[in-house]
Amino acid sequence: MTEGRIYNFSAGPSILPEEVLKKAQGEMMNYEGSGMSVLEMSHRSKVYDEIITAAEAKMRSVMGIPDNYKVLFLQGGATGMFAALPMNLGKTGTADYIISGNFSGNAYKEGKKFLKDARVAATSEADNFSHIPKQDELTLNPDADYVHICENNTIFGTKYKYLPETGNVPLVADLSSCILSEPVDVTKYGVIYAGVQKNLAPAGVAVVIIRDDLLGHAAANTPNVWDFTKEADKKSMLNTPPTYQIYIIKLVLEWIESLGGLEAMKKRNMEKAAVLYDYLDGQDFYKTSAAKEDRSMMNVCFRTGDADLDAKFVKESVTKGFSNLKGHRLVGGMRASIYNAMPKEGVEALVAFMKEFAEANK
Ligand SMILES: *Cc1c(COP(=O)(O)O)cnc(C)c1O
């Protein structure tokens, strides 16, 4: 790690690979002989067109996105898409939402504004979102325009290990905090979308991967910048896109490729998460609430069971060179977000500190 940098466990915006930051630094003043920084470039220039074209091509090759899907880079973050999705997909105005945490609940609330009938197909709120609703908990409407899920619950530390069977109804999934952490079968989804600031780039872009047959149904009053069909026709450049963020997306995808792609990423992430979970499972000072079979590889939540002691943990962790370990206010306790860019050494160092702290405070 570069001198002076610390292990940043932020849930988002989050740690980026050092290799990517260094590459961006090296290209900052004069990008590939253009005489200017990517920050300063016209989005209509040939040199920038090559960047956005490469970002999309890399997204397709790394994720294995078939030709009958479009890849869009939009603004408004994942929250913007909570509104854009019903505007674009609401053919009959009915949709099913599976609520497994805060963000899927927010998507549902936003959907209600634009749909005639937004339904809750299942919710795990009763156990404070400590598990993912299973197939037999779902009451799905076969005539819905789509079924919405949030695949990794950033705040509660749970993740779908199966995909709901939705028949002919398109599955729409928020992958903000797990995109590119492991291989996915894109053909199982109608739409995959993600805010990029967890695993992909600095904040400012929502990536939308949408199957062609779902285009062309936007409500007439959909803003142009969120009309998926119009954006697809303009290759995400209906207006000025977040040019620098898209450039970093390209660099992050190249970094993933250089490490062996998503299979290799999954292996790394499983090993990293195991360092933390194996420790947590073998002791009783720290408690976890996420159901074991639904645990996230990206966001690991734990607590001592005593709010003052949790606060002490967070405070001390900062002095040891860790940042952003405080849990979300909805959950309390601690949360370590260990996205793709977090090295295994960071997780090992955290566990060493956790052991020390437990020893000193039990
Ligand atoms: C962070 C996050 C969001 C919110 O993303 P914004 O880009 O800030 O709107 C939505 N869903 C999930 C799963 C997230 O982790």
Side-chain angles (χ1 to χ4, degrees), residues 76-80 82 103 150 152 154 174-177 195 197-198 339:
T79 305
F82 295 167
F103 289 115
C150 174
N152 184 76
T154 323
D174 177 354
L175 266 65
S176 293
S177 50
Q197 68 274 24
K198 316 286 162 68
Y339 297 120

Side-chain angles (χ1 to χ4, degrees), residues 17 19-20 23 53-65 180-182 199-200 247-266 268 340:
E19 292 88 335
V20 166
K23 175 111 199 225
T53 302
E56 178 184 337
K58 291 274 170 224
M59 198 78 201
R60 288 183 178 278
S61 61
V62 169
M63 280 186 75
I65 301 171
L180 298 169
S181 64
E182 61 180 1
N199 235 354
L200 200 43
Y247 157 70
I248 300 287
I249 291 176
K250 173 176 114 54
L251 297 188
V252 168
L253 289 163
E254 286 168 356
W255 174 78
I256 292 174
E257 229 175 14
S258 76
L259 293 175
L262 294 186
E263 284 294 350
M265 213 32 92
K266 179 178 186 180
R268 272 169 60 110
N340 284 352

